[in-house]
Amino acid sequence: MNSAPDPGSQSERRQRSRFLRLVKHRSTILGAVGSIDDGPRRGLPALLRLCHRSHNPRMTHIDRRDRSEDQGDEQMHADLSTPRRRGHRIRILAVVAAGLALLAACGQGGGGGDASAYPEDSITITVPFSAGGPTDTVTRLVAKPMSKDLGQEIVVKNVEGAGGTLGAGDVANAEPDGYNLLMHHIGMSTAPALYPDLAYDPLKDFKTIGLVTTVPMTIVSNKDFEPNNLEELITYVKANADKVTLANAGVGAASHLCGLLIEQAVGADLNEVPYDGTGPALTDLVGGQVDFMCDQTTNTVPQIEGDKVKAFAVTTPERIDALPDLQTTEEAGQPDIKVGVWHGLYAPAETPDEVVKAVTDALAKALKDPEVVKKFADLGTKPVPEDQVTPEAHTKLLMEQIDLWTPVIEEAGVKGS
Ligand code: MLT
């Protein structure tokens, strides 16, 4: 087929042909090059777009179309083989080499997507607990101003189960393109010790984006539960350990960790009733299906204010403004029942730093939004200080918390499955 004179060696020819074929298979670059002289200017942006699209199943038609064009390779090869075209050939090979390096970077950890154009599509934040619960509430409150700032819709997706580890596992394996994020809480630091077969490593499989808030917890019961204060509750539960029920959101959930502290204070294992989140658990508590639980103020304040549940104490060192009449666990003689539920936003590990920075900036702005600040305050919490809304501060806390909880959990011998 190739009747044109060939100035290069056979191996040069093969190499050149392989380059061209590879590029045609993997990208739209030849279409983008059009005039070969335009290559460096037009080809690289095309490759950047490809970098994004190679992670997008909607774009797989490009590969199919390009394969059907393979027969054009030989003609292209013939055109490039004349001495007159040698300068062009060098230029196109330079584009190809740069492109291949870019594609390699794209596949090896740069993540998918033209990071500088991010976001070009809607973003999903996975909440690893039920809709209507505390993590969901915090996420939806910050997602609204973040969406406005980023100029794209933010979809909140609830992937509940196994104390938050199922949703976190989903995001660990999602495309690292900035369109798949995870809102998680303290459970991110306890899961490695609790779940021997954990499908992800919180430190290796995610990039931290920034801390969000630390939420106090409250000990609450249904209205018919006999005890009327924390001291009575401990005594009653101790005497009735075989029949009282303690709701939680699964092993590793904040409600579970706080429940362990209660069990320690009581000195007995209790009948735990696990839910996929404390949203549904609180509904059952109000309905009298379970006796008591420990839950975040972002879920319980409305129920406490509405007199739908009995509240025994808040788990912070100081009383909180949203519930000024509620004593602290320390005031009630249980200083060891102390826990704050910190939340952070994550992306899969290979997400480009530029994309993470865009999300960090949007999160930091959202946490200053007056509506977010007010709603957080109404629910007993507040945004973290601005210097905590960084990947560095978030990673530092995550590492400290893993170090803190791992020996505690190992000593307690608690395991999830
Ligand atoms: C939830 O959103 O349901 C929770 O954060 C549950 C928990 O950790 O207790």
Side-chain angles (χ1 to χ4, degrees):
M1 289 287 288
N2 181 11
S3 55
D6 184 356
S9 72
Q10 225 184 13
S11 82
E12 269 175 22
R13 256 195 349 260
R14 266 205 305 273
Q15 201 180 17
R16 194 168 56 228
S17 180
R18 203 153 53 83
F19 266 143
L20 289 171
R21 195 175 295 277
L22 185 57
V23 170
K24 286 194 75 181
H25 271 286
R26 296 194 65 181
S27 78
T28 53
I29 189 170
L30 291 182
V33 167
S35 150
I36 290 169
D37 288 331
D38 276 353
R41 195 160 46 83
R42 297 177 57 194
L44 289 178
L47 278 165
L48 280 167
R49 280 198 300 281
L50 172 69
C51 217
H52 173 54
R53 288 171 183 169
S54 66
H55 293 279
N56 184 341
R58 280 175 297 184
M59 299 307 291
T60 50
H61 68 277
I62 288 172
D63 287 339
R64 283 197 295 275
R65 189 193 63 201
D66 285 349
R67 260 194 293 280
S68 73
E69 288 171 356
D70 277 359
Q71 64 270 24
D73 279 4
E74 304 237 334
Q75 186 54 47
M76 173 70 76
H77 178 223
D79 290 347
L80 291 173
S81 297
T82 62
R84 200 165 52 83
R85 292 283 183 180
R86 216 176 266 175
H88 291 160
R89 190 180 65 197
I90 289 165
R91 278 199 293 280
I92 200 171
L93 287 179
V95 176
V96 167
L100 289 175
L102 187 57
L103 284 172
C106 180
Q108 275 169 19
D114 176 355
S116 62
Y118 175 85
E120 296 179 295
D121 210 339
S122 66
I123 298 163
T124 298
I125 302 183
T126 293
V127 166
F129 296 102
S130 311
T135 317
D136 186 73
T137 298
V138 164
T139 308
R140 287 176 197 275
L141 287 177
V142 296
K144 200 171 150 201
M146 282 179 74
S147 157
K148 211 165 149 197
D149 185 56
L150 291 166
Q152 291 291 344
E153 186 190 13
I154 295 184
V155 178
V156 176
K157 181 175 162 195
N158 301 86
V159 182
E160 54 268 84
T165 59
L166 294 186
D170 267 15
V171 178
N173 291 312
E175 287 299 339
D177 53 11
Y179 297 95
N180 300 288
L181 307 176
L182 170 74
M183 181 72 83
H184 206 341
H185 63 25
I186 190 170
M188 195 68 155
S189 61
T190 56
L194 286 167
Y195 289 86
D197 298 324
L198 194 65
Y200 56 89
D201 180 326
L203 291 168
K204 290 193 187 132
D205 293 327
F206 293 93
K207 261 187 187 160
T208 51
I209 291 173
L211 293 167
V212 180
T213 178
T214 297
V215 185
M217 300 195 88
T218 47
I219 300 170
V220 292
S221 79
N222 70 55
K223 292 285 284 181
D224 296 332
F225 201 44
E226 208 172 295
N228 286 313
N229 58 48
L230 191 59
E231 200 184 341
E232 283 180 23
L233 181 134
I234 301 289
T235 309
Y236 180 85
V237 171
K238 206 178 268 187
N240 298 280
D242 55 336
K243 66 170 197 203
V244 293
T245 48
L246 173 65
N248 65 39
V251 174
S255 45
H256 172 247
L257 299 171
C258 185
L260 290 177
L261 298 178
I262 295 174
E263 287 184 342
Q264 245 167 35
V266 168
D269 285 346
L270 303 176
N271 300 307
E272 292 175 20
V273 184
Y275 290 80
D276 282 341
T278 51
L282 192 60
T283 304
D284 270 11
L285 187 92
V286 171
Q289 279 87 25
V290 281
D291 293 327
F292 80 118
M293 69 190 288
C294 196
D295 195 14
Q296 295 161 70
T297 57
T298 36
N299 209 27
T300 59
V301 165
Q303 306 293 347
I304 295 170
E305 286 176 336
D307 203 24
K308 298 278 188 335
V309 295
K310 269 188 197 177
F312 296 87
V314 61
T315 64
T316 41
E318 310 288 336
R319 291 189 184 204
I320 59 169
D321 292 344
L323 299 167
D325 298 332
L326 187 62
Q327 64 181 351
T328 66
T329 43
E330 186 156 357
E331 285 177 78
Q334 294 296 335
D336 292 339
I337 308 179
K338 228 176 248 148
V339 55
V341 186
W342 59 273
H343 294 69
L345 196 58
Y346 301 81
E350 301 297 329
T351 307
D353 290 339
E354 208 176 340
V355 167
V356 169
K357 177 157 178 10
V359 183
T360 300
D361 291 349
L363 175 64
K365 272 193 219 160
L367 291 174
K368 283 196 226 146
D369 183 284
E371 204 182 317
V372 170
V373 175
K374 167 144 189 356
K375 291 221 164 117
F376 271 23
D378 290 347
L379 295 174
T381 188
K382 52 181 179 231
V384 294
E386 197 176 357
D387 65 357
Q388 301 292 295
V389 195
T390 64
E392 295 74 26
H394 186 173
T395 300
K396 184 168 175 287
L397 182 68
L398 177 60
M399 289 169 84
E400 284 167 4
Q401 291 275 299
I402 291 172
D403 287 351
L404 181 81
W405 283 102
T406 301
V408 174
I409 291 165
E410 280 171 2
E411 202 184 313
V414 192
K415 290 280 171 238
S417 57

